[in-house]
Amino acid sequence: MRFLESITSPADLRNIPRERLSEFAGELRDEIVRVCSLSGGHLASSLGAVELTVALHYLFDSTTDRIIWDVGHQTYGHKILTGRRNLMETIRKPGGLAGFTATSESQHDALTVGHASTSLAAALGMALSREARGAPYHIVAVIGDGALTGGMALAALNQIGHADVKLTIVLNDNEMSISENVGALNHYLSTLQVQPWFQRAEKSGKEALRGIWKPLAEYGSRAKKAARGFFDPASTNPFHAMGVRYVGPIDGHDVQQLLYYLEHVKDLDGPTMLHIVTKKGKGYQIAESDPITWHGASKFDPENPVFAGKPYQWSDAFGDAAIELASRDDRVWVITPAMREGSGLVEYSKRHPERYIDVGIAEDVAVTVGAGLALRDEKPIVAIYSTFLQRGYDQVIHDVCIENLDVVFAIDRAGLVGGDGATHQGIYDLAYLRALPNMSVAMPKDTSEMQGMLKAALRLGGPKAIRWPRGSTEPSQAQDYDAWPAIEWGTWELLKDGKDAFVLALGPTLAYALEATRGNDRVGVVNARFVKPIDRELLVELAARSKLLITTEDHALHGGLGTAVAETLADLDQSVRLIRLGIPDEPVPHGDPNAQHEAFGYGPTGIKQILAEFGMEKLTPLAEASD
Ligand code: HTL
Ligand code: MG
């Protein structure tokens, strides 16, 4: 029998003989591959963290100690060990386990997370509370080398060194973010060696470290920090310079080594970083050899794993447009915060490496680098997912909008995103961007319109945000530059006329509106593609000649298209019955987006229902047959 069958909680793990833990790690790895093959998910990162997961749960008690996983995408092993094994096949599926850690899901999950670089600040907060309450538990933050490129992580580290609280930080370094990791720190990490002071301490026995640090504490923190530099010859180490004791790097796939070092550092006073080196995708050949493709896998055959490939995506259409625009104008640049693949920029990065910038997981930096370029008359396109642009919000206001700079924001994954869930939903950007002076916000109905909008945005200048959803689309291949439509900025499109009512629809909800009103000549449909500026002229005309307007959007109801329409009607003292359909004021978990659109009432059924309530359903069913 496998050890795995006997594990229902981490306490059971401690019954496994210590020397057989690496064997158990193999079982855990197989289970992760099995689960991901059935449901898809963050395979490569979870495989790379298997031994670490085993070691942490062997030494720490996650019911009282806090293990804080940064991003939370590497936690499949953690979930399996903490009582969720039987539910693993539901991961990322509607009603199933979340793909990241979530405090609502388990007492073993210390943080609800999904965005990178938050673990260290959260750990510091917890550590300060623990000190204030005099509680005895341990706090361990696990952060990847990618997540460490984020300003939030680095700023937290700075504060951790200052606060000098007891905290174990495990730096899980696989030299990969989703793609190859970037940045000077990344290069530096690969030059590090285990420090001589630590090796000496190791030789003189397990208590040696405590022996070194305890007496120093009596000299107060200044002396302690100075002494730290004395004891640790690698005083150029930046973590060390920030007041965080640095240990490593060690082999992160050797459970015994992990246990040994973690046992040494866990009771040390002050913050300690244990640098472990791992391989993304470890132990599963195809994921190891191509961790980029297998970072997030769709379901696959574990015996014969092949990447299924994807149809032409919105992101691909953006990437193609970016290549075209940058080829035609040598002032066009594209900036990504660590999302080359997801943003459709692989080909662009090869074709225009001189005007391609990956700043790491640092959306704030991406935006302000864009501002800097624009200040020198370059034409930056800042390509960011809707959810991650939240991290660069102040920079959008302070560095771009106030200055009215020519920065185009190419916003991918707008709307509900599916398996990634609440932390990754792209449903707030209309609200947060619409409020900003000089900013325009648009959402195209298809990729042709998107490409036309990008071209127009670069030509017009000023801060311009163009957002599009996740997924595949029509037309399903690259299009000629000459076929990109000319876009008159700020205008809506009347797609279908109506006698009594209009659905003002945005992006993917347009198809729903057209479906719900097919054969119904009383209700028209408008492509309300500009949320700012909105097409006042057309809106006023439609309001004047209809009894009902319905807005539909795959976005939070607070602050999106519906709000923009309501505000405009109120400002113009134009009265018409207005129904706003969209996402209510609550976090939206992972699920099937189409089903969620229906559940929230802005799918075709919901639109039809509203029309029925107002007596505007299709009156002549026979017309349907002749459509
Ligand atoms: N930006 C922010 C603020 N958060 C996230 N989560 C992303 C972008 C997207 N993202 C991930 S996982 C990941 C990125 C960039 C790479 C993390 O690299 P790290 O871990 O070295 O920390 P590794 O994958 O195990 O190597 C997700 O959205 C899941
Ligand atoms: Mg990494």
Side-chain angles (χ1 to χ4, degrees), residues 29 44-45 47-49 172-176 251-253 277-283 287-289 291:
R29 178 163 279 123
S45 302
L47 290 178
N172 178 15
D173 180 8
N174 53 20
E175 293 188 68
M176 296 292 290
D251 178 357
H253 293 305
V277 174
T278 60
K279 206 159 182 8
K280 202 160 171 171
K282 174 75 179 176
E288 237 185 85
S289 60

Side-chain angles (χ1 to χ4, degrees), residues 45 73 114-116 144-147 174 176 280 361 363 388 391 424:
S45 302
H73 66 314
H115 284 199
D145 56 312
N174 53 20
M176 296 292 290
K280 202 160 171 171
I361 310 179
E363 290 77 9
F388 301 139
R391 275 285 170 84
H424 281 54

Side-chain angles (χ1 to χ4, degrees), residues 160-172:
I160 286 168
H162 168 73
D164 206 22
V165 284
K166 181 167 130 181
L167 177 64
T168 303
I169 300 166
V170 178
L171 170 58
N172 178 15

Side-chain angles (χ1 to χ4, degrees), residues 42 44-46 70-71 73-74 100 114-117 143-148 172-179 181 280 295 337-339 361-363 385 388 391 420 424:
H42 285 112
S45 302
S46 290
D70 207 283
V71 185
H73 66 314
Q74 71 291 62
F100 308 105
H115 284 199
S117 320
I143 185 164
D145 56 312
L148 193 67
N172 178 15
D173 180 8
N174 53 20
E175 293 188 68
M176 296 292 290
S177 190
I178 292 179
S179 38
N181 199 11
K280 202 160 171 171
H295 170 85
M339 300 303 287
I361 310 179
E363 290 77 9
Y385 287 16
F388 301 139
R391 275 285 170 84
D420 280 338
H424 281 54

Side-chain angles (χ1 to χ4, degrees), residues 312-314 317-318 321 444-456 466 473-487 529:
Y312 197 69
Q313 308 270 304
W314 279 90
F318 166 64
K445 67 172 185 290
D446 57 27
T447 51
S448 300
E449 203 165 76
M450 171 233 258
Q451 293 176 326
M453 281 178 174
L454 286 166
K455 182 176 162 186
I466 304 165
T473 176
E474 296 292 325
S476 56
Q477 73 259 339
Q479 295 154 88
D480 263 5
Y481 181 78
D482 298 329
W484 298 5
I487 304 289
R529 58 193 182 180

Side-chain angles (χ1 to χ4, degrees), residues 128-458:
L128 291 171
S129 160
R130 183 197 54 200
E131 306 296 294
R133 309 289 147 222
Y137 59 91
H138 290 279
I139 298 171
V140 186
V142 180
I143 185 164
D145 56 312
L148 193 67
T149 58
M152 210 189 149
L154 296 169
L157 212 49
N158 190 37
Q159 185 63 17
I160 286 168
H162 168 73
D164 206 22
V165 284
K166 181 167 130 181
L167 177 64
T168 303
I169 300 166
V170 178
L171 170 58
N172 178 15
D173 180 8
N174 53 20
E175 293 188 68
M176 296 292 290
S177 190
I178 292 179
S179 38
E180 302 81 16
N181 199 11
V182 297
L185 195 54
N186 174 51
H187 292 297
Y188 172 76
L189 288 176
S190 55
T191 67
L192 289 171
Q193 298 294 324
V194 173
Q195 269 102 71
W197 74 269
F198 193 85
Q199 288 170 337
R200 275 199 306 277
E202 261 184 276
K203 285 198 192 108
S204 53
K206 283 192 183 182
E207 288 304 307
L209 289 169
R210 271 180 237 185
I212 292 172
W213 293 108
K214 281 264 166 67
L216 288 175
E218 283 152 26
Y219 292 100
S221 67
R222 243 241 199 126
K224 202 162 81 179
K225 273 187 196 147
R228 219 170 259 175
F230 180 76
F231 274 98
D232 178 359
S235 52
T236 54
N237 177 296
F239 307 113
H240 175 95
M242 283 167 123
V244 176
R245 186 184 299 113
Y246 169 89
V247 178
I250 65 162
D251 178 357
H253 293 305
D254 181 337
V255 185
Q256 299 307 328
Q257 253 201 70
L258 282 168
L259 288 172
Y260 179 75
Y261 280 84
L262 281 168
E263 259 176 342
H264 270 60
V265 301
K266 81 184 186 29
D267 291 316
L268 292 176
D269 288 339
T272 305
M273 175 183 281
L274 177 63
H275 180 186
I276 73 168
V277 174
T278 60
K279 206 159 182 8
K280 202 160 171 171
K282 174 75 179 176
Y284 190 57
Q285 205 269 326
I286 192 156
E288 237 185 85
S289 60
D290 184 1
I292 296 180
T293 302
W294 295 87
H295 170 85
S298 307
K299 61 179 181 181
F300 57 92
D301 173 0
E303 300 308 318
N304 182 26
V306 274
F307 176 61
K310 286 185 185 150
Y312 197 69
Q313 308 270 304
W314 279 90
S315 316
D316 297 323
F318 166 64
D320 287 340
I323 291 172
E324 192 70 38
L325 292 163
S327 302
R328 285 165 185 273
D329 183 345
D330 72 359
R331 292 196 166 253
V332 171
W333 297 63
V334 178
I335 306 167
T336 176
M339 300 303 287
R340 183 182 68 197
E341 279 69 25
S343 296
L345 291 169
V346 174
E347 193 54 32
Y348 177 92
S349 70
K350 293 178 190 152
R351 296 276 287 274
H352 292 292
E354 75 293 355
R355 280 174 286 135
Y356 165 75
I357 311 171
D358 177 354
V359 295
I361 310 179
E363 290 77 9
D364 44 1
V365 173
V367 173
T368 304
V369 167
L373 286 166
L375 282 164
R376 303 312 298 158
D377 293 329
E378 307 290 339
K379 297 180 184 169
I381 300 176
V382 180
I384 303 195
Y385 287 16
S386 167
T387 187
F388 301 139
L389 184 55
Q390 292 161 196
R391 275 285 170 84
Y393 189 45
D394 177 61
Q395 289 71 13
V396 177
I397 302 172
H398 179 272
D399 300 331
V400 176
C401 286
I402 290 177
E403 194 74 358
N404 196 18
L405 293 178
D406 300 349
V407 179
V408 174
F409 294 93
I411 303 177
D412 206 315
R413 305 306 197 268
L416 295 176
V417 294
D420 280 338
T423 55
H424 281 54
Q425 306 292 18
I427 57 176
Y428 310 108
D429 60 282
L430 293 177
Y432 70 68
L433 292 172
R434 212 170 60 78
L436 307 184
N438 295 316
M439 178 61 93
S440 284
V441 194
M443 184 171 205
K445 67 172 185 290
D446 57 27
T447 51
S448 300
E449 203 165 76
M450 171 233 258
Q451 293 176 326
M453 281 178 174
L454 286 166
K455 182 176 162 186
L458 284 170

